[in-house]
Amino acid sequence: MFKWREDFSVNIKIIDDQHKELFRIGNALYDIVSIKDGIDRYDEILEALYSLRDYAIYHFDYEEQMMKKNDYPGYFEHKKQHDEFIRKVKSMDEESIDKDQIKASMDLIIFVANWIENHILKTDMEYKDYLNNKGIF
Ligand SMILES: [Fe+2]
Ligand SMILES: [Fe+2]
């Protein structure tokens, strides 16, 4: 589901590692939702979702500090995207996950996977050269 590839690299080790960790947590969530044994996994699914949300918040904050410290001109636009994503994940309907676990969780995972992939490939990539040129790798 979530697969890190070389073209996701922003050539900054700690950021690449954080993106890989986001993918790892995303996959753990996907694995739980994919088990088809009929057992209610509401608590486990929510727990995995919360760790994804919390790690995303941690990573976004790290990225934002890095951009800010280096006077990155696209900082506000970039932060806006992070905030929007967190808002969306936070507003996920816990009740709908309870009622239709598999579908609601899969919908959310697909949204998260697409968002993260597009965000890294487009928005994160935009600071790559800027920060690399400041000696950050
Ligand atoms: Fe990122
Ligand atoms: Fe970002």
Side-chain angles (χ1 to χ4, degrees):
M1 187 75 197
F2 298 77
K3 215 164 178 328
W4 197 87
R5 305 181 308 255
E6 213 36 64
D7 61 316
F8 283 107
S9 176
V10 294
N11 206 22
I12 298 169
K13 176 146 192 331
I14 191 153
I15 300 282
D16 284 347
D17 286 347
Q18 289 180 359
H19 287 155
K20 286 175 189 168
E21 177 65 6
L22 263 181
F23 283 25
R24 193 195 62 74
I25 299 171
N27 280 326
L29 173 62
Y30 179 75
D31 288 345
I32 297 167
V33 177
S34 303
I35 306 170
K36 292 192 176 68
D37 56 5
I39 293 171
D40 188 300
R41 297 188 190 275
Y42 180 61
D43 292 343
E44 266 180 273
I45 290 171
L46 272 194
E47 202 183 307
L49 265 179
Y50 292 153
S51 38
L52 184 74
R53 177 200 62 192
D54 292 346
Y55 194 79
I57 290 173
Y58 165 79
H59 164 65
F60 292 164
D61 192 58
Y62 190 94
E63 236 176 41
E64 287 162 17
Q65 295 307 319
M66 193 174 242
M67 290 188 275
K68 219 169 156 183
K69 224 169 51 197
N70 291 282
D71 301 311
Y72 176 63
Y75 169 78
F76 284 105
E77 274 308 306
H78 196 132
K79 182 174 170 20
K80 222 194 262 173
Q81 288 196 21
H82 289 167
D83 292 347
E84 175 68 8
F85 176 79
I86 296 298
R87 197 189 56 73
K88 243 183 181 145
V89 172
K90 275 189 175 160
S91 72
M92 73 201 168
D93 188 357
E94 293 185 8
E95 218 173 291
S96 79
I97 289 178
D98 199 15
K99 274 193 223 114
D100 189 356
Q101 280 189 9
I102 308 281
K103 181 159 188 331
S105 312
M106 276 304 175
D107 287 352
L108 191 80
I109 290 170
I110 290 164
F111 163 76
V112 167
N114 284 334
W115 190 92
I116 292 179
E117 187 164 323
N118 288 330
H119 181 80
I120 295 175
L121 290 177
K122 192 177 174 293
T123 311
D124 285 353
M125 244 2 114
E126 286 170 359
Y127 64 55
K128 180 182 176 187
D129 288 348
Y130 182 87
L131 292 176
N132 285 170
N133 285 336
K134 295 224 167 203
I136 298 162
F137 295 102

